[in-house]
C-alpha cells in the first residue's frame, strides 16, 4: 500500500525511503533548519522533528517556509507524544505545514478509557489531507492493552512466555490503531505502521508477525540502536534480515550520536544498508583492504578515506549531472596480494605498494591495466583519473535511477 508523504511515495513498488530525525530544540528555528539542511544534503528523504510544546508547534511553519525558500523541499514529519491532539487543534498552521504526523498510541490517550485524543489527531489528518505513522514503541506500550493480553494469556491451558505476549501486544496495538484510524475516516493509503523495539531478534519477530497480518506500509527501525559500532551493527543486523524478506518500506537508523556528533551518520548507515543489499544505490562504493603486516604504511588508509569523502561530497553535484554514477565501484588497495585482482573487479582501482614492494601503483580501468603512478602526487593524479572516468562514462545523463517522487 503506497502512501504519499509530501511528494515522497512510501510503500507499494516504490523504492525504500531513507528518513532521519533532528535532535535540536524545534523551537530554535535556525538550529533546526540547519540540521534539516545537513540531513537532506546527506540524502535523507524524510526528516522528522519533535513537536512537543506550543513554541515548537509555532516554529514548524517557519521552519518549512525557510527550507522552501532555500530550495530544500524535504518533507517534514511531526513527532507527537502526549499532547499532539492539543497542538494540532491550537496551531492549524503547524498541522498544514507538516507532511505527516507521527502518533504514538501508547501515550496519546494516557489516563483515559477512551481514544478521543487519538481520534482528534486522526481528524486533523483528515482535515488537512495528511498521512500518519502510527508508531508503537515497547517502551511506551499501552499498559491497559498489555495487561488485558497478559490476563487472557494466563487463562490459556498452555500460556505463552512474557516476551511472546509483549510482542503480540506491540503488534496488536499497531494493527488495532490502524483499524481505528480507518473507522474514523482516514484512508488506508494514508497510514504507515511501525512497531519498534530495541532488541534485534525482537524487532525481526514483531515485524514478521505484523507483515503477515496487514498490507499497511511499514516503517523499520530499532527504537534505540545505541552508540557507535553497537548501534550500527544492531541496526544492520535487524533491518537486513527484514529487508531481505521484503518487509519494510521506509527505514531509519536510530543511532545515539556523541555530544555535538554528526547527526548525518544515521542517514549514511541507512543508505549503506540498502546499497550493500543491492536494493538501492546512493553513492559510488569504495573497496579498501583492512591492512596487514604487508601494509605498515598508513598511506593507503589515508587515500581510501580521502577518496570516500570526496565521492560523498561530489554526489549531490554528480547525481544531477551524471546518470548511474552512484553505481560506480572504486578500489583502493594496499598491497600486491589482492590489490590487482580487486582493482580489476572495480570500475576504477589502484593497487598501492605495500611494505618492501616496488614504489609503483598500477591503476586499472574497467578491468585492464591503464597506467602506473609513481611519486608523491599519487592521490591528486588518481583523483584526476577518477574525475575523467566519471565524465567519460556517465556524461550522457538523461534518465536517472528512479527515486521517490
Amino acid at each position: 500500500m503506497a502512501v504519499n508523504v509530501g511528494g515522497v511515495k512510501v510503500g507499494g513498488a516504490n523504492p525504500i525511503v531513507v528518513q532521519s530525525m533532528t535532535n535540536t530544540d524545534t523551537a530554535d528555528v535556525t538550529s533546526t533548519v540547519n540540521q534539516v539542511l545537513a540531513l537532506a544534503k546527506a540524502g535523507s528523504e524524510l526528516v522528522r522533528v519533535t513537536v512537543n510544546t506550543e513554541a515548537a508547534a509555532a516554529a514548524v511553519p517557519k521552519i518549512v517556509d525557510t527550507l522552501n525558500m532555500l530550495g530544500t523541499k524535504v518533507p517534514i514529519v511531526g513527532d507527537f507524544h502526549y499532547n499532539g491532539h492539543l497542538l494540532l487543534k491550537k496551531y492549524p498552521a503547524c498541522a498544514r505545514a507538516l507532511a505527516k504526523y507521527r502518533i504514538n498510541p501508547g501515550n496519546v490517550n494516557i489516563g483515559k478509557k477512551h481514544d478521543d485524543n487519538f481520534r482528534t489527531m486522526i481528524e486533523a489528518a483528515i482535515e488537512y489531507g495528511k498521512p500518519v505513522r502510527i508508531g508503537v514503541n515497547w517502551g511506551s506500550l499501552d499498559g491497559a492493552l498489555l495487561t488485558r493480553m497478559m490476563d487472557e494469556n494466563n487463562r490459556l491451558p498452555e500460556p505463552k512466555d512474557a516476551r511472546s505476549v509483549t510482542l503480540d501486544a506491540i503488534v496488536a496495538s499497531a494493527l488495532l490503531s490502524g483499524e481505528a484510524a480507518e473507522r474514523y475516516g482516514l484512508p488506508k493509503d494514508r497510514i504507515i505502521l511501525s512497531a519498534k523495539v530495541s532488541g534485534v531478534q525482537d524487532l525481526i519477530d514483531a515485524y514478521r508477525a505484523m507483515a503477515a497480518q496487514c498490507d499497511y506500509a511499514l516503517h523499520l527501525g530499532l527504537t534505540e540502536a545505541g552508540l557507535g559500532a553497537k548501534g550500527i551493527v544492531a541496526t544492520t543486523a535487524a533491518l537486513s534480515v527484514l529487508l531481505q524478506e521484503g518487509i519494510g518500506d521506509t527505514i531509519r537508523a536510530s543511532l545515539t550520536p556523541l555530544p555535538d556528533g554528526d547527526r548525518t551518520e544515521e542517514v549514511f548507515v541507512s543508505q549503506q544498508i540498502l546499497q550493500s543489499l543491492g536494493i538501492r544505490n546512493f553513492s559510488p562504493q569504495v573497496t579498501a583492504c583492512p591492512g596487514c603486516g604487508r601494509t605498515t604504511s598508513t598511506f593507503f588508509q589515508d587515500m581510501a578515506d580521502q577518496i570516500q569523502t570526496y565521492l560523498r561530497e561530489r554526489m549531490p553535484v554528480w547525481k544531477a549531472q551524471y546518470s548511474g554514477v552512484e553505481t560506480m565501484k572504486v578500489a583502493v588497495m594496499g598491497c600486491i596480494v589482492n590489490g590487482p585482482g580487486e582493482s580489476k573487479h572495480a570500475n576504477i582501482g589502484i593497487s598501492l605498494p605495500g611494505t618492501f614492494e616496488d614504489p609503483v601503483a598500477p591503476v586499472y580501468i574497467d578491468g585492464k591495466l591503464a597506467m602506473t603512478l609513481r611519486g608523491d602526487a599519487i592521490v591528486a593524479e588518481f583523483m584526476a583519473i577518477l574525475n575523467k572516468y566519471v565524465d567519460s562514462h556517465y556524461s550522457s545523463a538523461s534518465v536517472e535511477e528512479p527515486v521517490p517522487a
Side-chain angles (χ1 to χ4, degrees):
M1 182 70 65
V3 179
N4 190 323
V5 182
V8 174
K9 293 180 181 177
V10 176
N14 296 289
I16 294 170
V17 172
V18 170
Q19 63 177 275
S20 60
M21 185 174 183
T22 60
N23 62 354
T24 58
D25 178 1
T26 306
D28 184 340
V29 173
T30 300
S31 295
T32 303
V33 165
N34 286 339
Q35 192 168 88
V36 172
L37 288 172
L39 291 166
K41 182 180 179 182
S44 183
E45 293 156 322
L46 299 174
V47 178
R48 184 158 42 114
V49 302
T50 298
V51 188
N52 59 334
T53 64
E54 292 195 19
V60 165
K62 301 173 188 175
I63 291 166
V64 173
D65 288 346
T66 303
L67 291 168
N68 288 335
M69 185 175 62
L70 294 172
T72 298
K73 304 294 186 182
V74 62
I76 301 299
V77 178
D79 191 64
F80 294 97
H81 298 274
Y82 306 108
N83 61 352
H85 60 293
L86 298 174
L87 296 176
L88 287 172
K89 287 186 71 173
K90 187 170 182 178
Y91 293 89
C94 170
R96 284 191 294 268
L98 291 169
K100 182 179 72 174
Y101 311 151
R102 184 279 172 105
I103 305 174
N104 185 340
N107 58 36
V108 70
N109 293 309
I110 277 199
K112 297 182 179 294
K113 294 184 178 180
H114 50 73
D115 63 356
D116 289 356
N117 296 348
F118 177 84
R119 183 169 186 162
T120 296
M121 297 187 73
I122 296 300
E123 288 172 346
I126 294 169
E127 179 179 356
Y128 297 108
K130 306 297 181 179
V132 301
R133 171 163 73 90
I134 298 171
V136 179
N137 285 345
W138 73 346
S140 53
L141 181 60
D142 183 339
L145 174 65
L146 179 60
T147 299
R148 176 172 62 79
M149 292 184 68
M150 284 288 187
D151 290 343
E152 292 172 354
N153 179 68
N154 289 335
R155 291 193 289 269
L156 295 175
E158 296 183 10
K160 298 179 181 180
D161 59 33
R163 172 187 179 272
S164 297
V165 179
T166 301
L167 291 178
D168 288 346
I170 291 168
V171 173
S173 178
L175 295 177
L176 290 171
S177 297
E179 292 167 5
E182 287 192 71
R183 284 199 308 274
Y184 298 147
L186 190 67
K188 194 169 192 175
D189 64 0
R190 286 185 13 218
I191 299 172
I192 298 172
L193 298 186
S194 66
K196 290 189 174 184
V197 297
S198 294
V200 170
Q201 293 297 344
D202 294 329
L203 190 85
I204 292 169
D205 289 346
Y207 273 90
R208 280 174 172 166
M210 190 158 63
Q213 297 177 57
C214 75
D215 61 351
Y216 292 110
L218 300 180
H219 168 65
L220 302 186
L222 293 169
T223 301
E224 297 97 7
L227 283 160
K230 185 268 179 185
I232 294 171
V233 172
T235 297
T236 303
L239 269 58
S240 294
V241 171
L242 293 168
L243 292 168
Q244 193 72 8
E245 295 178 4
I247 298 171
D249 302 291
T250 174
I251 66 172
R252 182 191 172 207
S254 299
L255 306 179
T256 304
L258 293 172
D260 300 320
D262 187 355
R263 192 69 168 180
T264 60
E265 182 182 24
E266 66 178 58
V267 179
F268 297 132
V269 169
S270 292
Q271 289 177 332
Q272 193 59 56
I273 291 170
L274 293 174
Q275 189 147 355
S276 296
L277 291 172
I279 294 173
R280 286 187 68 184
N281 293 308
F282 296 93
S283 178
Q285 298 291 281
V286 177
T287 299
C289 67
C292 65
R294 292 175 174 269
T295 56
T296 54
S297 167
T298 62
F299 181 79
F300 85 95
Q301 295 162 301
D302 292 335
M303 183 171 180
D305 182 57
Q306 289 180 58
I307 294 295
Q308 185 162 279
T309 300
Y310 177 76
L311 292 172
R312 186 174 287 170
E313 290 174 347
R314 292 298 299 164
M315 268 310 295
V317 176
W318 282 352
K319 182 72 175 177
Q321 199 172 357
Y322 300 111
S323 175
V325 67
E326 64 276 4
T327 66
M328 183 174 65
K329 293 180 174 61
V330 179
V332 181
M333 304 301 294
C335 82
I336 200 171
V337 174
N338 291 320
E342 287 284 359
S343 296
K344 290 176 183 177
H345 287 300
N347 296 105
I348 178 170
I350 185 169
S351 179
L352 297 167
T355 307
F356 306 123
E357 292 177 16
D358 291 337
V360 296
V363 175
Y364 295 83
I365 297 177
D366 292 330
K368 297 180 180 179
L369 178 63
M371 63 203 69
T372 300
L373 304 181
R374 296 176 174 82
D376 298 329
I378 286 179
V379 175
E381 291 176 10
F382 186 74
M383 291 277 202
I385 295 167
L386 182 61
N387 285 324
K388 184 177 179 181
Y389 184 90
V390 170
D391 190 58
S392 62
H393 285 70
Y394 303 101
S395 59
S396 57
S398 56
V399 179
E400 297 186 6
E401 176 194 344
V403 297

